[in-house]
Structure formats: structure tokens, C-alpha cells
Amino acid sequence: MTVDHDLSGVLRSGMCIGCGACTFADPSLKLELDPGRLIFQPNHAGSRGAASVCPAVRVDFSGLQARIFPGQEQTAYGVVRSVMLAQSTHHQRNLEASSGGVIKELLMELLARDEVDGAIALRHVEGLDFQPALLTRPEEVDSLPGSIYHNLAQPGTLRILRERPGRFVLVAIPCQLEGIYNYLFAFEPELLDRIHLTIGLLCGWQYSHHALRAICDFKGIDVHSIEEISYRGGGPVGKLRIVAGGRETAVGRRVDFDYQVAFDRHFNVPRCHVCINHHNMLADLVVGDAWLPSTVATRTGISLVINRTPAAERLMEELEAKGRIQLSQVTVEEIRESQTDRTLFGGLAYPYMDYLDEIGEHRPDMTALNRDVGERATHKEVERFHREAVRKRALQMEGRYRFLRWRKATRELVPFLDRYWRWFLVRILRIRSLKGERREVPREKLSKFR
């Protein structure tokens, strides 16, 4: 594995995720959009200090959890006090969020409290640019965007923590929190007192800007004229909506073939392929889509919520008591069913990191208690995945998006259709439940949701 005296391995592999921690450890660095890979990464290799905080170099999950949640038991799911299904009772807020509207309800509640001075969350700047911004009033919350799938540079969160005194709520994806905590514990531990609560997202993947260029190419949109973009909204799955040149284009996320090509996993930021923390082990409270067979037919989204602290648990119960949300208690099995073993337990990520070691390529030094749980990809599968990733990234950099679409429609068609068939069996026919492999969430726990 690469010696971590600087960020050379990260730059060579393209594994930067844009958290910006390195730019605070080494002020000579700044994040720039690489013109070939179309991801944000540092402008040079920097110093040992920069490498020491980079989550594409090392993450000590056990050590970080012990410091963030002292004395709490660590499991394959992280530290867990309770798991819930939840949904905002504000119908429009729920619809716009697609996944329950719970994060906005949490932020509105917290910003109304005297002990909270603000919340740091992504806000739309212009075009494809979204930046961490400080919110101080509950009425600002509904203007926030939903989930953003494309890669961003996000050093703004640390900048706000450093420059603004007070107590703040942070909304962050897993790797962003990894970088923030790596930096704070190493360089500015006094800033930890400024974090009142962290709200983490259950993360799928981040995509390079090639995904956006591909979908724009397929739909006849000038990517440089994009004014607004929304990846979700309007129901549990939602649509990708792009406003460019005053015209809106809506793309079905589940059924549109062009979307399936442009947001294929090989368009991910490379660091996503070795992520073992999709369930956001470092966040106090984690929110994401409840992709469960028992919720698949609901008209509006339902959130899966993981509470890692007593304060997070109380907050959810207080929101329910105030009539702001509906919630039902469930178990960690719903985390597993919602996220799948390969995502939750690193079923591809761990074998892929081992493979990268074999071939002498850079990968982050990290492991967690989820390493030995669930099904693992075989060496042959990992080798094929890597070969495909290298090939497809080369085609993306050449702008050959239509060739990738043709490829998906021909040589990749069978595995593509097989994935849909497996989704239909598990989510619609509930075949695992029929075979006695798991129990569905009882109907009485779901009757309160829309």
C-alpha cells in the first residue's frame, strides 16, 4: 500500500471525495475540479499533515467511534441505540424530500432551540454548485435542496466551525464526517465543542460530473446552461429534474434507461467503491430511504432512522410527541434489508481493497466490525469489476457516453435485467419472506404512514 507521506496515492487513484480536510491541515492546498476525471481533488500532493487527515488515506473507525461515543458498544452497524421508521406529517415537505422529510423537521426543531446557534447544510449557489452554508432560522430550512448526488468540494463546513463561535448542527454524508473528525481530533480538538449534533445521511454513492454530462448528452441538454438540478422529489423514488435554458427536463430514476446508463456505478467517485461506511457510523443520528418490501407501495417516502445517542433518540420522540413526525420502532434487521449486505457490510469494498493491494494500487487503510459479516464478492468478480471500472473511466474521459449506452444495451443487458428481476423478487414478491429468511415489518407498524 502507498506510504502516506503525502496525497500522491490519492491523486494517482482519484480517490478524493472533496471533504476539504486536507486544505486546513495544509493551507497550500486547494480543491479543484479535475478536467479529466471531473471530480474535485487537491491541486498538489501536499504534506504529511494533509495525508494524516484524508479519509482516502486512513480512517480509524474503531478509534473515532470510541471518542465520539465513549463507552458505547460498537457493532457491525456502528453504535446503535434504536432504529425507527419515520415520516414528516407535513405532506408537502414529505413529498419534496422523497425519503420522509425527517431531516428538515429535525433542523426546524433544533434551530428553534436556545442551545443551538445554527445548522450547517448544503445550499444551492448556482448551476451545479452547492456549498455548506449556515442556517440560523427555522424558516430557512424549507429552501434547502434535497439529496445531491454529484461530487462537490465541501471545505466550507470546517471553515464555518472555525470562524463562527456557537453550537451547530452538522448535516453530512459519511466520508465528509470522516474527514471532519480526522481533522478536528488531530489539529483543532477545541472545535469539537461547537458540534451540538451530527445528522448523517445513509449514503449510496457520489457521482463524478461525467454522470451529469452523460445524461445531458442523452437528453439534448447543454450541461453548461444548467440553472437548477434536483435528484429527488414527488414521491418515494422521485425524478431527476434539470432546469437548463429555462426548460425543465424530468427523468424517471427507476425506469429511464438513459438514467441507468449515466448513473451506473462505474460513474461513481472511485473512493465510493471501497466505502465501508454507507451507514454513517460517525453520525449521532442517521437518516435515509427505507428501501423495504413493506414500504415499497407507499405513496410518499419513509425514512429509516438510526439513533446512536440518547439525545438523538429523545429528539425523535419529542418530534413525535409534537405531532411533527410519525414513527415506528423497528430493528437493525431493517437496516440490513434496506441497504443490502454488499453496501452495508462492504461485500464488494473489502475484497476490492484486498485486490488493490495485490496489484499495488492505492487504497485507504480502514476496517470496521462489519468486515466479517454478510456475503463477499469473489476474487473473480472483483477482478472483473476493476477491469470494467478502468475501461469505463477511460471512455468517460474521452466523452464516449453514447458508446457506454450502446454497451449497456448489448453486452451488459443480461446482468442489467437480472438486477431488476432480483429487485422485483425481493421488493415486490417478497421472496425472502416467503422462504422464511426474514420477517416483514408488521402492518400495524406501517398503518400510520401515508
Side-chain angles (χ1 to χ4, degrees), residues 80 82 84 367:
V80 179
S82 60
M84 301 170 173
T367 190

Side-chain angles (χ1 to χ4, degrees), residues 205 207 253-257 259-261 263-265 408 412-427:
W205 327 99
Y207 291 87
R253 294 177 61 246
R254 181 162 285 165
V255 297
D256 191 287
F257 185 73
Y259 182 93
Q260 297 303 317
V261 176
F263 290 88
D264 176 281
R265 277 204 61 187
K408 178 79 81 177
E412 297 175 27
L413 186 61
V414 172
F416 172 74
L417 294 175
D418 180 63
R419 182 164 62 88
Y420 269 91
W421 173 242
R422 284 185 282 113
W423 172 84
F424 182 76
L425 287 176
V426 173
R427 299 288 194 246

Side-chain angles (χ1 to χ4, degrees), residues 249-381:
T249 301
V251 183
R253 294 177 61 246
R254 181 162 285 165
V255 297
D256 191 287
F257 185 73
D258 288 341
Y259 182 93
Q260 297 303 317
V261 176
F263 290 88
D264 176 281
R265 277 204 61 187
H266 292 92
F267 279 84
N268 290 154
V269 173
R271 170 61 164 71
C272 294
H273 297 150
V274 296
C275 180
I276 60 171
N277 184 30
H278 292 279
H279 51 310
N280 220 326
M281 288 182 276
L282 307 183
D284 299 317
L285 188 154
V286 185
V287 182
D289 289 285
W291 297 124
L292 301 168
S294 47
T295 65
V296 76
T298 53
R299 297 189 301 276
T300 52
I302 298 176
S303 295
L304 182 72
V305 180
I306 307 169
N307 300 303
R308 304 200 188 280
T309 66
E313 200 169 47
R314 284 195 303 272
L315 179 58
M316 291 296 294
E317 291 167 353
E318 288 164 7
L319 277 177
E320 182 189 35
K322 292 181 178 183
R324 302 279 294 278
I325 64 170
Q326 299 278 9
L327 66 81
S328 285
Q329 299 281 344
V330 290
T331 71
V332 292
E333 282 305 308
E334 283 13 280
I335 307 176
R336 186 172 192 170
E337 181 67 19
S338 177
Q339 301 303 301
T340 75
D341 279 17
R342 286 233 168 159
T343 303
L344 185 63
F345 302 132
L348 173 69
Y350 282 117
Y352 191 34
M353 284 192 282
D354 292 341
Y355 178 76
L356 291 174
D357 283 343
E358 280 181 35
I359 62 176
E361 294 197 12
H362 175 85
R363 58 90 157 183
D365 176 12
M366 57 186 185
T367 190
L369 292 179
N370 59 358
R371 181 176 180 98
D372 298 318
V373 184
E375 180 187 351
R376 288 282 173 270
T378 65
H379 188 277
K380 185 176 180 180
E381 288 175 314

Side-chain angles (χ1 to χ4, degrees), residues 216-232:
C216 286
D217 182 29
F218 300 156
K219 301 301 183 185
I221 301 169
D222 178 5
V223 70
H224 301 293
S225 69
I226 291 178
E227 300 157 25
E228 295 180 29
I229 186 164
S230 171
Y231 288 88
R232 305 291 300 275

